[in-house]
Amino acid sequence: MHCFTRAAFAALTVLLTSCATAPKKSISVGSALSRIHSYYQREKTEGLPTQTIDKATPDEYRRWAIGLSGMLTAINLQNGIYDATQEHDDTIPYATTQSIEKERADLQKSWGVVDKNTLIQSISWCLVTGHSGEYVQIQQAIDQSILPSGVVAKVHKEHPGIDKNRIHQAYYYSKYTGKRLLHAFDYGRAVWLVRTGVTCGYLTEDEAAQWIQYTADKILGEYRSWEDFGINYCLGRLYWGGTKLTKKSFAALDLQLSDETLWKGRPWINKATITVPKSSISAGSATSPAATK
């Protein structure tokens, strides 16, 4: 089953064309905040945009958990980067010998992953520390009574190793992320890494299922819908890569919320009684991968 049909490619082309033809100007934090504010205002007046369920069957839970990888799949698609998760919506993406070699090369370049051990190190880093680890340091030091410029100076003095642009973004994003930090970004990428690791032959299907369920168990109850999850994924991506990624990040979200993607037909699972046994694995301690993440 293909996740991205011809209609999805056409929709993405329209979105990216509109981005490319827009007037050239600097992109500020306000561009992202405007989109986020309109979503939460709409949610307040119209209710949740995504179908949700309170009790899932094992198959529904599995398919929902796999869907957490959808944002990075869409981002790779819009950037012209092929990855096998675009071609299959199950745990193991379909892969040819050629695509396996390409996936391995991409993982090594972007994540420093060369084998099972380095893959698990990267997955564990996303789940244990991730970008949320730095973000929470900023959150804890932020004083909302101080103007943004004062906050940046104050936090940078306390944490000189943290980029000032990230501090500035965190000042505004913290209202929306709260205690969830950047988990949508960190955990969504963890699931993508697991699925890609299967394609590369670094994990078995059974191992992948355990990692995916472990990640899903951690994020269960933090978000209310696919759009809530996707918006917070975008915030994490902007924190990581800068506000220059605003338009493309939200274009990927719009694609994922269309009718032709990995999220179609997968209700959002609420924090409730889930008829799935807990995963038996643990991420344990983790250090940052060697690559730029």
Side-chain angles (χ1 to χ4, degrees), residues 17 19 62 153 158 223 236 247:
T17 299
C19 291
R62 178 187 65 82
E158 296 175 11
Y223 301 96
K247 290 181 179 179

Side-chain angles (χ1 to χ4, degrees), residues 113-255:
V113 170
V114 296
D115 54 21
K116 181 176 182 177
N117 288 338
T118 50
L119 173 67
I120 290 177
Q121 179 189 23
S122 289
I123 295 169
S124 296
W125 180 82
C126 288
L127 296 174
V128 176
T129 305
H131 290 286
S132 293
E134 179 183 87
Y135 185 83
V136 73
Q137 293 181 59
I138 302 173
Q139 258 198 357
Q140 291 169 349
I142 283 176
D143 182 345
Q144 291 288 351
S145 66
I146 304 175
L147 292 174
S149 59
V151 168
V152 172
K154 173 180 178 290
V155 177
H156 189 67
K157 183 177 180 180
E158 296 175 11
H159 303 281
I162 300 179
D163 183 81
K164 289 183 178 180
N165 289 326
R166 288 185 171 181
I167 299 171
H168 185 256
Q169 290 184 72
Y171 175 86
Y172 290 101
Y173 297 166
S174 60
K175 172 183 177 182
Y176 299 100
T177 57
K179 293 180 180 179
R180 304 178 301 184
L181 305 176
L182 304 177
H183 291 161
F185 183 64
D186 290 330
Y187 297 174
R189 298 205 303 167
V191 174
W192 182 88
L193 277 170
V194 171
R195 297 186 68 210
T196 304
V198 177
T199 300
C200 294
Y202 298 148
L203 293 176
T204 67
E205 182 177 6
D206 287 344
E207 289 171 329
Q210 286 287 300
W211 277 108
I212 290 173
Q213 185 181 327
Y214 176 81
T215 307
D217 290 346
K218 285 175 69 68
I219 206 169
L220 186 66
E222 289 202 357
Y223 301 96
R224 299 181 297 277
S225 67
W226 282 119
E227 189 163 9
D228 187 26
F229 171 82
I231 281 175
N232 280 272
Y233 186 102
C234 288
L235 288 182
R237 188 167 188 250
L238 302 187
Y239 177 85
W240 163 72
T243 55
K244 64 182 182 294
L245 299 175
T246 298
K247 290 181 179 179
K248 283 194 172 183
S249 297
F250 283 100
L253 174 58
D254 288 335
L255 175 63

Side-chain angles (χ1 to χ4, degrees), residues 1 20 29-30 55 57 69 73 82 84 92-94 99 102 108 147 257 272-273:
M1 175 179 176
V29 171
K55 189 173 183 179
T57 66
S69 66
T73 299
Y82 170 80
I92 299 182
Y94 172 80
S99 67
K102 186 178 184 307
Q108 182 174 2
L147 292 174
L257 293 171
T273 303

